[in-house]
Amino acid sequence: MPAKKLKPGELKRIFDGKRFKFKTTKNLQGDHSIIGQRRAMKALEFGVGIKSHGFNIFCCGLPGTGKTTSIIKLLEEKSQKEETPGDICYIYNFAEPDNPNLLIVPTGLGKELQSDIEQLIADLTQRVPQAFETEGYEKLKYQLIQRYKKERDDLLENLEKEVKKHLFTLVKIATGFTVVPAKGGEALTQQEYMEISEKEKQKYEKSRPEVQEMLNSAIIEIRNLEKKTQNAVLDLDREIASLTVGHLIRELKYKYKKVEHIIKFLDNIENEILDSVPVFKSALQQNKTPDKLPVQEDPTDYFDRFKVNVLVDNSKTEGAPVIHETNPTYYNLMGRTEHKANMGMLFTNFTMIKPGALHKANGGYLILQAMDVLLNPYCWEALKRALKNEQIRIEDLGHQIGLVSTASLNPEPLPLNVKVLLIGNQYLYYLLDEYDEDFAKLFKIQADFDTEMERNKQNIDDYVSFISIMCRKENLIHLNKKAVAEVIEYSSRLSGDKEKLTTRFIKIVDLLRESSYWASKNNHDVVEAKDVIKAIEEKEYRSNRIQEKIKEYIGRDIIMIDTSGEKIGQINGLSVLSTGDYTFGAPTRITARTFAGKKGIINIEREVKMSGPIHDKGVLILSGYLSGKYAREYPLSISATLCFEQSYEGIEGDSASSTEMYALLSSIGELPIKQNIAVTGSVNQMGEIQPIGGVNYKIEGFFDVCKAKGLTGDQGVIIPPQNVQNLMLKDEVIKAVKDNKFHIWSVSTIDEGISILTGLKAGKLKDDGTYPKGTINYMVHKKLKEYSEKVRKFEKEEKKKK
């Protein structure tokens, strides 16, 4: 393809808003379907539909491509058709209090059961005390106690008679009863006993073992009587409690008769109360029981053990849950056990277990930002562990990492059935896939969101629908036809392609918001094209301080850029700079110095480690081109230096390799290069020009500098022909081209480019291996040959000297 001077019509694909049938976007209903992401949506639909283990989804793409919006919309539609999972509860484990039991009940029953248990506790605290305060209970209990007292008194009376026969008497002391010597039926004091004769003492001591044995037997019988009576009272209490508790429990059992786990839970409550009636009665009187509770449990409320902790209530959930966790800390993801202080100590129980996002999403879908999960300590490993084991285990982070060894709760793990969707960029996806061996096993689906889509009729119509929807959703001023056309053109510019539209909808929505603002400020009923243009210009103005500074420095010759005249070995290259989310182009002076030698082409940036590998590769390609074209008959003997002048940061990319080639040819052949022309384009070893990125920014960057220094009518930019399809230039540049004040050429080869830059013919290789006299290639070939001869002569003389 020969060199071509581009026409104004080739510099931008203008969209004619007249093709629209509507007056404003207010007249449109708007379609809520997701646009421009067919590949990603198919992957999502497959990933959501397949239920096999490990088919979780990683959604990758640049920010603002609608990943989160698309995912939520798809899942909300899909989840409506799926079954709502049951409610997740934790209840007291009467056998092992430190290990609360899991209770999963049908949807909506969690809160209802919780309320019924609260009412049961209220009824128990009211009715049970009443049952123990009835006259019948008191009478029965009194009879049991009186029977015990009578039997005890009879036993003591008989004991008294027996010990008197042996000259002893029964005396009551603080710890019970004892026997002491007696005389005349009266107990002897210690003094009186010491005064009796030895014979009498021997008589007493002889009887003492038998009497003591009588006492011991009697005491054992009395204790047995006490136990028997206590058991009888307990049986009475249990019977009385059973009449009240059993009635209340039976009502709940009938209500929940279809839920086996709830029936078992109610049986455990009833058995606990009946097996611990004294403790229960004590709790009713004092509302506390410091014994019979696990060490770490708060002793201030005995009745907490009967409650139901509804961890997840799905009563208001329609279909499967869709949870978007925006702050995935360890506890927000996995759940936690809270504590409260009492008497200077921290206590907990199963009622203070709180759910994490995995609990809430169980049976449905969980959406997470991948970077947030990775940045929060221990979250990524915890998430992987839960997905691998298919269960959620609530653990205190201090225990898990071994920093705390105090007692804590260990709730029963919850079986996990969830589809996790991670949102991130491609780089993060590739890193995880490469370095985390579990990632590929757990996230088998990649939904890749594109940044662009075809600029065709269907997609444009979808775009217009999207604009209409966003205006309604955010209460923005609607757009007329010409304003919509400006948005379409802006979208193509963002995509960097005439044939494409951007799918980074966040930028389009921001443009709609800002355009609405300027329309309102200008008292427009609808957003007009000039409002959209104003929004674009103002956004650029807010961000282009650095760009303006560079232009200022160029204008003051602080940054040295020529836009007129001719120089040997000097050329204007074009680079793209970014400051945050703002990108712009700027010219850079590239120089080359050549001389006889064998060092080859020295990249000064590389020598000082300011050059990236791609730029280094581009420079090395230049040697291949020079050797292949000019050194077929003799070795290439050249030393050259290439430099990006006034560059104080790293250089990367090969888009300036053709520019460097032109500078080298100019220096070798001593050919002046026009400084009014800037160049961009990569080159291969065959001398073919290859496409580059950021072509619009580069052209506009040089145009701005030429405009600031004064347009002369002969200034312009050389670009690769493949980049013509990427041109979506500003109207100001197009007007200048139309008025012949600025020019843009596309060239396919180095020969075409150097001809424009020097005004000379490149010259084609003749059959005899030479180039036509007076052409660029002739002069370069001649100079390289001279370099070779000089080097050979120099080496020969040096050899003779040695």
Side-chain angles (χ1 to χ4, degrees):
M1 183 184 294
K4 179 182 178 183
K5 188 175 182 180
L6 301 182
K7 298 176 182 179
E10 297 177 275
L11 307 182
K12 181 179 181 180
R13 184 180 177 185
I14 297 173
F15 183 79
D16 186 5
K18 293 180 181 179
R19 65 175 285 271
F20 293 133
K21 296 179 180 179
F22 60 85
K23 290 184 177 180
T24 73
T25 53
K26 188 176 182 180
N27 304 129
L28 302 173
Q29 294 300 316
D31 184 2
H32 289 269
S33 61
I34 298 163
I35 60 175
Q37 300 294 354
R38 184 172 178 270
R39 183 192 309 277
M41 295 312 298
K42 286 195 72 174
L44 279 173
E45 288 169 4
F46 173 74
V48 168
I50 190 169
K51 301 302 180 184
S52 301
H53 177 69
F55 281 83
N56 297 292
I57 307 168
F58 192 102
C59 307
C60 54
L62 291 177
T65 51
K67 298 188 296 297
T68 304
T69 303
S70 302
I71 292 166
I72 292 175
K73 186 178 186 311
L74 173 68
L75 294 183
E76 285 179 347
E77 293 175 356
K78 172 76 174 173
S79 65
Q80 296 295 315
K81 303 172 185 177
E82 298 183 8
E83 182 181 355
T84 304
D87 296 341
I88 303 170
C89 310
Y90 272 106
I91 55 176
Y92 190 80
N93 185 341
F94 295 100
E96 298 180 18
D98 290 343
N99 304 316
N101 286 329
L102 182 68
L103 179 64
I104 299 178
V105 300
T107 308
L109 282 189
K111 286 291 184 183
E112 190 174 346
L113 177 63
Q114 185 184 55
S115 177
D116 286 342
I117 295 298
E118 294 281 356
Q119 186 59 49
L120 173 65
I121 293 171
D123 291 341
L124 288 173
T125 56
Q126 181 181 4
R127 296 188 189 183
V128 172
Q130 291 175 353
F132 287 109
E133 292 170 358
T134 62
E135 184 178 346
Y137 170 75
E138 292 294 339
K139 185 177 180 180
L140 290 171
K141 184 177 179 181
Y142 177 77
Q143 289 174 353
L144 289 173
I145 294 173
Q146 290 304 312
R147 184 188 306 163
Y148 159 72
K149 287 182 177 180
K150 184 178 183 306
E151 291 181 0
R152 185 193 64 181
D153 292 344
D154 290 345
L155 186 62
L156 291 173
E157 184 179 345
N158 291 334
L159 178 63
E160 178 71 21
K161 291 177 181 178
E162 289 298 321
V163 297
K164 281 184 177 181
K165 293 178 182 179
H166 293 77
L167 303 177
F168 280 81
T169 187
L170 191 65
V171 177
K172 189 173 183 180
I173 58 176
T175 57
F177 292 93
T178 187
V179 289
V180 297
K183 195 171 187 179
E186 296 293 330
L188 296 175
T189 65
Q190 184 70 22
Q191 184 62 35
E192 290 173 339
Y193 183 77
M194 295 299 294
E195 292 175 354
I196 63 175
S197 65
E198 288 296 323
K199 187 176 180 180
E200 288 180 302
K201 287 180 182 179
Q202 290 177 359
K203 189 176 181 180
Y204 281 120
E205 293 303 321
K206 184 178 180 181
S207 300
R208 183 183 292 276
E210 186 178 353
V211 172
Q212 188 65 44
E213 182 63 29
M214 292 180 187
L215 176 62
N216 292 341
S217 297
I219 289 173
I220 291 172
E221 287 188 46
I222 290 172
R223 288 177 180 170
N224 289 335
L225 279 175
E226 287 178 352
K227 289 180 181 178
K228 182 179 177 182
T229 304
Q230 288 174 354
N231 289 334
V233 171
L234 283 175
D235 289 342
L236 175 62
D237 287 350
R238 183 182 176 90
E239 183 178 352
I240 296 299
S242 179
L243 292 173
T244 303
V245 176
H247 170 68
L248 296 173
I249 295 292
R250 279 194 297 275
E251 289 180 358
L252 292 179
K253 282 185 176 180
Y254 181 77
K255 180 178 180 179
Y256 298 104
K257 60 184 178 182
K258 294 183 179 180
V259 188
E260 182 181 348
H261 297 307
I262 296 180
I263 299 298
K264 184 178 179 182
F265 171 56
L266 294 171
D267 285 337
N268 289 337
I269 291 178
E270 183 175 14
N271 293 333
E272 168 68 13
I273 295 173
L274 297 181
D275 290 343
S276 309
V277 172
V279 178
F280 186 76
K281 287 170 66 179
S282 174
L284 288 172
Q285 294 168 2
Q286 304 175 25
N287 195 31
K288 67 178 183 178
T289 174
D291 57 346
K292 293 207 67 175
L293 288 175
V295 174
Q296 81 283 358
E297 188 171 340
D298 184 355
T300 58
D301 196 347
Y302 168 79
F303 297 101
D304 276 355
R305 62 178 60 192
F306 304 121
K307 292 180 179 179
V308 175
N309 178 10
V310 181
L311 207 66
V312 178
D313 174 25
N314 286 315
S315 59
K316 296 181 180 179
T317 304
E318 297 181 5
V322 178
I323 303 298
H324 183 199
E325 178 55 61
T326 57
N327 183 28
T329 63
Y330 176 83
Y331 290 120
N332 285 354
L333 190 63
M334 304 302 297
R336 66 191 182 279
T337 302
E338 294 182 340
H339 296 75
K340 66 179 180 180
N342 180 53
M343 302 293 289
M345 298 179 65
L346 291 176
F347 295 93
T348 187
N349 62 34
F350 74 96
T351 64
M352 286 183 272
I353 298 174
K354 303 299 177 183
L358 282 172
H359 296 89
K360 298 173 186 176
N362 200 33
Y365 307 93
L366 177 60
I367 304 169
L368 298 168
Q369 292 291 333
M371 186 61 74
D372 292 339
V373 175
L374 291 167
L375 290 179
N376 276 296
Y378 307 104
C379 281
W380 177 240
E381 292 302 321
L383 177 62
K384 289 196 300 178
R385 186 163 51 249
L387 293 175
K388 280 193 292 186
N389 299 330
E390 297 184 77
Q391 65 175 18
I392 313 169
R393 185 179 293 276
I394 298 177
E395 295 178 297
D396 186 271
L397 193 54
H399 287 83
Q400 188 181 102
I401 61 179
L403 294 179
V404 180
S405 59
T406 56
S408 184
L409 295 181
N410 183 27
E412 181 182 349
L414 170 69
L416 181 61
N417 175 29
V418 69
K419 181 78 69 175
V420 177
L421 294 94
L422 286 181
I423 300 175
N425 55 45
Q426 284 94 341
Y427 182 66
L428 194 57
Y429 175 83
Y430 298 140
L431 281 178
L432 289 170
D433 187 62
E434 180 70 22
Y435 295 107
D436 191 321
E437 62 180 14
D438 297 321
F439 178 75
K441 301 174 186 176
L442 298 174
F443 291 88
K444 299 181 179 181
I445 304 296
Q446 178 193 12
D448 195 354
F449 282 75
D450 202 348
T451 57
E452 60 186 25
M453 61 183 181
E454 294 296 325
R455 181 173 162 175
N456 55 38
K457 183 180 182 304
Q458 181 60 54
N459 285 341
I460 289 173
D461 289 342
D462 291 341
Y463 233 77
V464 177
S465 295
F466 170 77
I467 292 171
S468 177
I469 291 169
M470 292 310 302
C471 288
R472 285 192 179 86
K473 181 179 178 181
E474 301 203 7
N475 198 26
L476 304 175
I477 300 175
H478 282 271
L479 287 69
N480 65 18
K481 295 180 181 181
K482 290 185 178 180
V484 172
E486 288 292 339
V487 174
I488 296 296
E489 291 177 7
Y490 180 72
S491 176
S492 284
R493 178 176 169 85
L494 288 179
S495 72
D497 196 320
K498 293 176 181 177
E499 307 299 325
K500 304 287 184 180
L501 295 171
T502 185
T503 56
R504 299 191 70 181
F505 294 107
I506 190 170
K507 292 184 177 291
I508 301 301
V509 173
D510 284 344
L511 178 61
L512 297 178
R513 292 165 179 154
E514 294 177 28
S515 300
S516 179
Y517 168 81
W518 290 111
S520 175
K521 196 172 181 64
N522 295 328
N523 297 317
H524 294 163
D525 294 330
V526 296
V527 174
E528 300 176 5
K530 58 185 177 182
D531 297 319
V532 178
I533 294 170
K534 177 70 172 176
I536 295 171
E537 290 175 347
E538 288 294 324
K539 179 178 176 62
E540 182 178 319
Y541 178 73
R542 293 193 301 272
S543 306
N544 71 353
R545 185 182 66 84
I546 302 299
Q547 181 185 16
E548 291 298 318
K549 279 290 182 184
I550 291 174
K551 284 166 57 178
E552 177 190 342
Y553 290 162
I554 292 174
R556 295 167 60 189
D557 288 331
I558 297 173
I559 297 177
M560 300 166 64
I561 297 291
D562 292 329
T563 58
S564 61
E566 296 181 345
K567 293 284 181 67
I568 293 175
Q570 177 179 305
I571 190 170
N572 290 323
L574 295 171
S575 59
V576 176
L577 306 174
S578 293
T579 56
D581 66 342
Y582 182 68
T583 303
F584 62 94
T588 300
R589 175 178 288 181
I590 298 175
T591 59
R593 298 300 300 271
T594 55
F595 35 88
K598 285 194 170 184
K599 292 185 177 180
I601 300 173
I602 298 172
N603 175 10
I604 292 178
E605 273 73 29
R606 180 186 180 186
E607 295 301 310
V608 295
K609 299 181 180 178
M610 289 177 62
S611 174
I614 298 175
H615 181 244
D616 291 342
K617 175 187 175 185
V619 174
L620 292 174
I621 286 173
L622 304 183
S623 296
Y625 173 75
L626 288 175
S627 298
K629 184 156 187 167
Y630 300 111
R632 295 182 179 181
E633 299 175 356
Y634 51 84
L636 187 66
S637 301
I638 185 174
S639 292
T641 56
L642 282 171
C643 180
F644 278 67
E645 303 293 354
Q646 292 184 287
S647 172
Y648 306 105
E649 58 185 6
I651 304 293
E652 180 58 312
D654 64 350
S655 65
S657 57
S658 68
T659 314
E660 293 169 318
M661 189 70 254
Y662 296 137
L664 279 173
L665 294 177
S666 169
S667 178
I668 294 169
E670 299 179 1
L671 303 166
I673 284 180
K674 297 175 183 178
Q675 300 301 295
N676 53 298
I677 299 175
V679 181
T680 184
S682 169
V683 68
N684 61 28
Q685 291 192 101
M686 310 305 294
E688 297 170 328
I689 305 300
Q690 302 172 145
I692 44 82
V695 65
N696 292 304
Y697 300 119
K698 291 178 177 180
I699 294 172
E700 290 165 357
F702 189 64
F703 173 81
D704 288 342
V705 170
C706 292
K707 180 184 173 185
K709 287 197 167 192
L711 291 172
T712 59
D714 59 358
Q715 295 152 332
V717 175
I718 294 175
I719 66 171
Q722 302 93 327
N723 286 119
V724 175
Q725 61 190 328
N726 304 118
L727 294 178
M728 287 294 294
L729 293 171
K730 293 179 180 178
D731 291 340
E732 183 183 20
V733 180
I734 297 172
K735 186 177 184 305
V737 172
K738 189 175 182 181
D739 295 340
N740 282 321
K741 292 182 179 179
F742 196 75
H743 311 278
I744 300 173
W745 297 270
S746 68
V747 299
S748 301
T749 65
I750 289 292
D751 283 350
E752 293 173 5
I754 196 66
S755 294
I756 294 172
L757 289 166
T758 61
L760 300 173
K761 290 183 179 181
K764 292 185 179 180
L765 185 67
K766 295 190 294 184
D767 294 338
D768 60 359
T770 63
Y771 291 98
K773 201 169 185 179
T775 62
I776 297 169
N777 287 326
Y778 173 82
M779 287 182 275
V780 172
H781 184 267
K782 180 182 176 183
K783 179 62 70 173
L784 289 174
K785 190 174 182 180
E786 290 175 4
Y787 283 165
S788 179
E789 290 173 354
K790 286 180 180 180
V791 169
R792 188 165 59 250
K793 182 179 179 181
F794 176 78
E795 289 178 343
K796 188 176 181 181
E797 290 176 354
E798 286 296 309
K799 190 174 181 180
K800 286 181 179 179
K801 289 179 182 180
K802 291 182 179 180

